[in-house]
Amino acid sequence: MLNLPPKDPRSLLGRFRYGGVLVAIIITFLLFNSIFVVSPSEEAGTRWMGGTPMTSVPLKTGVHFKVPFFESVDRLQTSRSVYVLNGLDVYTNDNQKVTIDVSLIYKIPSSAVMNLLYQVGRAGSVDVETTILPVVRDRALAAFARYNTLTISDQRTQITAQMRRDISDALQRLFNVDVIDVQLVGIHYSPIFDQSIEEAVRAKNLAVQAENTVAQKRYEGEQKTVTAHAEATAAVERANGEAQATVLQAQAQAKAIETVGQALKSNPEYSRFYGLQHWNGILPQVVGAGSIPMIDLSKGQDTGK
């Protein structure tokens, strides 16, 4: 009979210890893979082995359980999302190409989560924005097709409002997605159109400058006419004033002569007073018999001649 060596209790304890650690690791791993957390900004659904959905309603915020290795989790952001579409080419009603940048702010309600996760596109949330893109592109094209290129800048508010209505209605009807806002963040014209606009503006500025020059010349001419008319009127008034002054002076002199003549006729002594009043201080050449000098009347007559 074969004699076996006695077993060492320490070796058995060691094996049990290693096995317990391994079991604990396996349990921890299974437990870790059976628990998942849904954050406040999202909702989720689960699928069995990547195929059949296991949830009929979306899972809300909190801790949830699933079957490890057999059940997968699909998450979808339900908080406000911003989707920016850059470099979108659209055409106006005068067949001009315009490149635009569109910003879309949207929110996915709980009622739309299961539909977007498992009924639209591929399963999960891998192509939600790809699903939205064709709708945004189509409604933007339709909105710009109603306007002329030259009026886009002036009617930007109306175009943005039209895009907001069209995109909101389409996403709500097709996917039950709530559109919060649509912004037209950029409008880029073609280089040829920009050049034509610059030439038109330059021509308009030159025309305005020419009109201003003509207006200035017209104003200067009118000012000269007004000045000449004022100077002519002043000259006429001045001449009339001088003529009236001359007439008044002549009338005054005639009146004075008439008054002196009447005085001489009515009072002979006035002639002596008049002569003394107008005497220049020089003794007369003719002297009478008396001691008082007589006035040389002939000198005055000669002088008058």
Side-chain angles (χ1 to χ4, degrees):
M1 186 174 182
L2 182 61
N3 294 325
L4 295 176
K7 294 183 178 180
D8 189 355
R10 290 179 297 179
S11 63
L12 294 176
L13 181 62
R15 291 180 183 178
F16 178 78
R17 182 181 301 170
Y18 292 141
V21 172
L22 181 60
V23 170
I25 292 175
I26 294 174
I27 293 175
T28 302
F29 181 75
L30 293 175
L31 183 63
F32 179 80
N33 281 273
S34 63
I35 296 176
F36 65 96
V37 178
V38 177
S39 68
S41 62
E42 64 184 9
E43 294 182 10
T46 61
R47 286 178 292 159
W48 184 259
M49 301 184 65
T52 305
M54 298 297 293
T55 52
S56 57
V57 294
L59 302 176
K60 305 291 185 177
T61 304
V63 179
H64 301 274
F65 294 91
K66 65 182 182 67
V67 179
F69 308 111
F70 293 96
E71 199 172 0
S72 59
V73 180
D74 299 312
R75 304 171 187 270
L76 184 63
Q77 181 177 340
T78 54
S79 60
R80 292 188 178 186
S81 302
V82 179
Y83 176 66
V84 180
L85 178 59
N86 293 319
L88 176 61
D89 293 334
V90 296
Y91 291 87
T92 59
N93 61 5
D94 55 341
N95 294 324
Q96 291 289 336
K97 185 177 76 171
V98 180
T99 303
I100 63 173
D101 303 323
V102 179
S103 174
L104 172 66
I105 302 176
Y106 66 94
K107 186 176 185 298
I108 299 176
S110 297
S111 58
V113 171
M114 301 305 294
N115 180 52
L116 290 174
L117 283 177
Y118 304 121
Q119 303 298 326
V120 177
R122 291 176 294 173
S125 60
V126 293
D127 57 355
V128 173
E129 292 185 351
T130 306
T131 301
I132 294 176
L133 173 61
V135 178
V136 176
R137 185 190 303 273
D138 178 74
R139 297 310 184 269
L141 288 169
F144 271 85
R146 304 175 186 178
Y147 295 90
N148 187 279
T149 309
L150 296 175
T151 61
I152 287 177
S153 297
D154 296 334
Q155 297 178 333
R156 180 169 182 165
T157 303
Q158 294 88 324
I159 296 174
T160 303
Q162 185 66 49
M163 291 175 55
R164 185 181 300 113
R165 286 192 300 268
D166 294 346
I167 294 174
S168 178
D169 293 342
L171 292 181
Q172 179 65 37
R173 176 173 50 85
L174 295 174
F175 310 117
N176 198 23
V177 172
D178 296 334
V179 174
I180 299 172
D181 194 16
V182 175
Q183 292 294 331
L184 186 58
V185 296
I187 300 177
H188 312 283
Y189 300 96
S190 64
I192 297 177
F193 182 78
D194 286 337
Q195 182 178 359
S196 64
I197 292 297
E198 292 178 359
E199 293 177 354
V201 172
R202 189 182 301 111
K204 184 177 180 179
N205 291 337
L206 292 176
V208 172
Q209 183 179 359
E211 292 178 358
N212 292 337
T213 302
V214 172
Q216 181 179 0
K217 296 297 182 183
R218 185 185 299 111
Y219 175 76
E220 292 175 354
E222 292 175 354
Q223 289 296 107
K224 291 180 180 179
T225 301
V226 171
T227 302
H229 179 71
E231 292 177 351
T233 302
V236 171
E237 294 294 333
R238 186 166 53 251
N240 290 335
E242 293 176 355
Q244 292 178 2
T246 302
V247 170
L248 293 175
Q249 184 179 4
Q251 291 177 352
Q253 290 178 354
K255 184 67 176 177
I257 293 173
E258 181 182 359
T259 302
V260 172
Q262 291 178 356
L264 290 174
K265 290 179 181 180
S266 62
N267 190 359
E269 291 297 328
Y270 181 75
S271 61
R272 180 178 178 81
F273 171 76
Y274 185 80
L276 291 174
Q277 189 178 15
H278 291 79
W279 182 40
N280 57 5
I282 302 174
L283 293 175
Q285 298 177 1
V286 179
V287 182
S291 60
I292 299 176
M294 299 295 293
I295 295 174
D296 188 2
L297 299 176
S298 63
K299 183 177 180 181
Q301 293 175 357
D302 294 339
T303 304
K305 294 179 182 180

